Amino acid sequence: MRTESSLDLPLLGLAALFLGSGTLHLVRPQVFEAIVPPQLPEPRTVVEVSGVAEIVCGLGLLHPRTRRLAGLASAALLVGVFPANVQMSVDAGRRANRKRTAASAGFFAGTLARLPMQWPMIKVALRAGKGTGA
């Protein structure tokens, strides 16, 4: 039986993904700047703020007292960064079309495969946000 204080594998995995990705956002922001949608100003700032948000959400998911709020914030964050993931796919598709190499086509396919994976992560975050564990 799961309780609010349960820390199961999906929730632990989501926290780990946020902590790893958030850290990478701060250590190597240039990797992420290119996927910031062009409508947003200051890509470096967007990357840094989203990195800090990921770390805060990841840490919040780990503790029962902050898990509910962190779950809701995590779901919102995943929805908020989805346009950047779409932008990555659009850019990768353009590169693959231009270069026509197996590597560029493979990367493009990987970015497309990543998009529907957001939904299970959002579901885990929302369950944590309901206070029922993940």
Side-chain angles (χ1 to χ4, degrees):
M1 179 171 161
R2 289 186 237 191
T3 65
E4 183 177 345
S5 61
S6 296
L7 184 61
D8 64 6
L9 193 56
L11 187 55
L12 187 59
L14 182 59
L17 282 170
F18 273 137
L19 291 169
S21 178
T23 300
L24 191 56
H25 277 67
L26 299 178
V27 173
R28 300 214 14 138
Q30 64 277 14
V31 171
F32 299 94
E33 288 176 7
I35 66 169
V36 174
Q39 300 83 355
L40 296 176
E42 304 293 333
R44 174 66 57 105
T45 302
V46 171
V47 169
E48 290 170 344
V49 168
S50 65
V52 169
E54 288 184 6
I55 291 170
V56 169
C57 285
L59 291 172
L61 290 170
L62 295 174
H63 195 283
R65 286 190 181 161
T66 55
R67 188 166 300 138
R68 187 164 189 259
L69 179 58
L72 296 173
S74 296
L77 180 60
L78 288 164
V79 170
V81 300
F82 189 75
N85 295 331
V86 170
Q87 186 67 50
M88 181 191 301
S89 291
V90 168
D91 293 344
R94 288 180 181 147
R95 272 192 308 278
N97 192 38
R98 198 172 52 249
K99 291 183 176 185
R100 299 190 185 275
T101 65
S104 62
F107 181 74
F108 176 49
T111 66
L112 289 176
R114 178 180 180 208
L115 294 175
M117 294 177 69
Q118 294 285 115
W119 179 241
M121 293 189 296
I122 291 169
K123 285 177 65 175
V124 169
L126 288 174
R127 281 196 307 258
K130 289 181 183 175
T132 58

